[in-house]
């Protein structure tokens, strides 16, 4: 990587928070390991966001894998690299995840304003030319499924690269170009096919670009100066991992079914029991307490990688199960997908236990809490 980065004063009091000087990739891990981690993140992003969801009901989605890898993989890899360089941890991932969602659904797919795309305008509230119900649902899906979960899983697979960059300056720039190309690809291929001839109103295009710029500024310039101390709380205890898993299954399904019809069909689960504006409020009151609950758990002294695996598994399984009612074939494909998710996460858990046993040194939570879940 070119240039030197300033060492932050707080490194003396928080030795686990890696600074950009300390995390230059060539200093601690072989090039091959960093590239494997980058490819793993790109593939996991695509799998978690789309291929364990849309492809359950629409298997032809697998044919779009190259485009999805460019859009999802490159985009999230850029986000992760930028966050590590800025040293802002998960808050930066969340904020840049919001920008990523606007870029994909607003500029690329044009689904935030299109009256025809996916039939999203019929799912809930549409006002001022915007599909607000669809927008809120995709904020939850993309921030969690496209960004946070793939980064979490990659960190578990490559713990030695946690808080370290995967790419050099040239690779980072090239990946950024690919991410932008992916947005144009979504517009020129998927949007043009699903809603041919539609163009987002220019005022909304400007609003999207301004929002993306402001979110990037917040994540990479403001947050690094505002991060409060993040330590363990001896008075807090996280529940057993299995409880974390079941809570994440339930709340993920509750969020999705409040906003979207099961299997993306015609009818909402709760029908006319709630007004459209009320659905937005209820879904937010499901997602926000869930996020706060996870943040509370992760500061407990007994929060472990096993808890993380159950959290990840619960969200993924619920996300996939949501699509299964689309058809009999979707139920069959979804069941296979869920079994694969469980088997692979169990295998990762066994691998992590063997790795910890062979090293003989359990990782200190106090040293790594800030930038992980």
């Amino acid at each position: 990587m070119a240039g030197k980065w300033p060492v932050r004063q707080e490194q003396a009091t928080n030795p686990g928070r890696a600074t950009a000087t300390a995390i230059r990739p060539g200093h601690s891990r072989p090039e091959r390991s960093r590239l494997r981690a980058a490819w793993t993140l790109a593939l996991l992003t695509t799998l978690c966001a789309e291929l364990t969801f849309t492809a359950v009901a629409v298997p032809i989605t697998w044919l779009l894998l190259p485009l999805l890898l460019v859009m999802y993989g490159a985009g999230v890899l850029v986000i992760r690299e930028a966050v590590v360089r800025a040293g802002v941890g998960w808050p930066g991932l969340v904020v840049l995840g919001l920008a990523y969602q606007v870029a994909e659904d607003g500029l690329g797919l044009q689904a935030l304003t299109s009256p025809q795309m996916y039939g999203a305008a019929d799912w809930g509230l549409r006002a001022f030319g915007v599909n607000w119900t669809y927008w809120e649902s995709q904020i939850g899906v993309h921030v969690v499924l496209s960004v946070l979960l793939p980064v979490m899983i990659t960190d578990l697979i490559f713990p030695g690269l946690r808080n370290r960059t995967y790419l050099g300056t040239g690779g980072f720039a090239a990946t950024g170009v690919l991410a932008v190309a992916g947005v144009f690809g979504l517009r020129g291929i998927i949007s043009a096919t699903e809603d041919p001839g539609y163009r987002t109103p220019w005022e909304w295009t400007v609003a999207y670009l301004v929002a993306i710029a402001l979110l990037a500024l917040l994540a990479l310039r403001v947050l690094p100066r505002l991060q409060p101390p993040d330590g363990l709380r001896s008075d807090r205890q996280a529940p057993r991992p299995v409880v974390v898993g079941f809570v994440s299954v339930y709340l993920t399904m509750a969020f999705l079914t409040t906003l979207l019809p099961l299997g993306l069909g015609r009818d909402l689960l709760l029908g006319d029991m709630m007004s459209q504006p009320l659905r937005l409020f209820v879904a937010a009151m499901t997602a926000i307490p869930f996020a706060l609950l996870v943040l509370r758990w992760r500061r407990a002294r007994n929060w472990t990688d096993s808890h993380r695996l159950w959290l990840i598994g619960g969200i993924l399984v619920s996300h996939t199960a949501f699509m299964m009612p689309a058809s009999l074939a979707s139920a069959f494909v979804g069941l296979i997908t869920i079994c694969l998710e469980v088997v692979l996460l169990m295998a990762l858990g066994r691998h992590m236990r063997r790795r910890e046993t062979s090293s003989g040194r359990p990782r200190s939570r106090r040293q790594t809490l800030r930038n992980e879940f």
Side-chain angles (χ1 to χ4, degrees):
M1 292 177 59
K4 294 184 178 180
W5 302 81
V7 178
R8 298 185 185 277
Q9 183 178 359
E10 67 182 18
Q11 187 182 21
T13 56
N14 186 8
R17 182 182 182 186
T19 63
T21 301
I23 63 177
R24 281 180 291 181
H27 286 199
S28 60
R29 298 289 291 187
E31 185 76 14
R32 185 178 300 177
S33 180
R34 293 190 296 116
L35 290 177
R36 284 202 303 267
W39 278 106
T40 299
L41 176 59
L43 182 59
L44 282 171
T45 296
T46 308
L47 289 172
C48 292
E50 284 292 335
L51 300 182
T52 61
F53 186 69
T54 307
V56 172
V58 188
I60 197 173
T61 303
W62 282 94
L63 297 179
L64 297 175
L65 181 59
L67 173 61
L68 296 176
L69 269 174
V70 172
M71 176 55 206
Y72 285 97
V76 175
L77 185 55
V78 166
I79 289 173
R80 192 264 178 195
E81 292 293 290
V83 164
V84 171
R85 283 168 165 80
V88 290
W90 69 263
L93 288 175
V94 171
V95 173
L96 288 183
L98 294 172
Y100 167 86
Q101 189 270 330
V102 172
E104 185 199 344
D105 284 310
L107 296 176
L109 292 174
Q110 305 185 97
L112 297 185
T113 54
S114 169
Q116 303 296 329
M117 190 77 169
Y118 303 147
D122 299 327
W123 293 347
L125 182 65
R126 178 178 171 84
F128 307 106
V130 176
N131 303 319
W132 295 103
T133 301
Y134 174 83
W135 196 342
E136 182 173 330
S137 71
Q138 295 311 294
I139 288 174
V141 167
H142 285 304
V143 170
V144 177
L145 274 299
S146 299
V147 179
L148 293 179
L149 257 61
V151 172
M152 288 171 65
I153 299 172
T154 306
D155 282 347
L156 292 174
I157 298 173
F158 300 94
L161 295 177
R162 186 177 277 145
N163 301 328
R164 299 173 183 268
T165 56
Y166 297 158
L167 305 173
T169 303
F172 183 38
T175 304
V177 172
L178 281 176
V180 173
V183 173
F184 282 103
L186 289 175
R187 186 156 186 164
I189 298 176
I190 297 180
S191 179
T193 302
E194 294 289 332
D195 193 3
Y198 177 76
R199 292 292 182 269
T200 299
W202 68 267
E203 57 269 26
W204 277 110
T205 299
V206 172
Y208 296 153
L209 292 173
V210 171
I212 291 170
L214 291 177
L215 288 168
L217 181 65
L218 172 62
L220 303 178
R221 289 291 181 266
V222 178
L223 285 182
R225 303 174 184 176
L226 298 180
Q227 290 192 93
D230 194 358
L232 300 175
R233 290 285 299 270
S234 59
D235 59 331
R236 289 184 182 173
Q237 291 288 318
R240 297 176 61 183
V242 65
V243 175
V244 172
F246 279 111
V247 169
S248 63
V249 166
Y250 173 76
L251 292 179
T252 300
M253 186 62 71
F255 174 78
L256 292 173
T257 54
T258 299
L259 295 173
L260 306 175
L262 273 170
L264 300 185
R266 293 180 177 274
D267 300 319
L268 287 161
L269 182 63
L270 300 178
D272 298 326
M273 293 179 62
M274 289 188 288
S275 66
Q276 293 177 347
L278 181 59
R279 287 182 183 277
L280 298 181
F281 176 78
V282 171
M285 290 301 99
T286 301
I288 294 173
F290 184 23
L292 295 176
L293 184 62
V294 173
L295 293 178
R296 179 182 176 85
W297 285 343
R298 70 181 283 272
R299 295 187 65 188
R301 287 188 176 276
N302 65 329
W303 182 254
T304 65
D305 285 344
S306 180
H307 288 88
R308 292 186 184 90
L309 281 177
W310 277 89
L311 175 67
I312 292 166
I315 294 173
L316 280 175
V317 166
S318 191
H319 185 238
T320 300
F322 176 83
M323 290 299 294
M324 291 174 64
S327 66
L328 183 61
S330 298
F332 179 72
V333 174
L335 182 60
I336 294 176
T337 303
I338 288 174
C339 290
L340 287 174
E341 290 167 359
V342 172
V343 168
L344 291 174
L345 288 173
M346 290 176 63
L348 176 57
R350 289 193 297 269
H351 173 70
M352 291 189 303
R353 288 191 294 271
R354 288 196 302 267
R355 183 173 59 207
E356 186 171 302
T357 300
S358 63
S359 67
R361 294 184 305 171
R363 182 171 52 86
S364 170
R365 289 211 56 227
R366 185 176 296 279
Q367 292 184 340
T368 57
L369 179 64
R370 179 179 293 274
N371 290 339
E372 69 176 16
F373 280 94

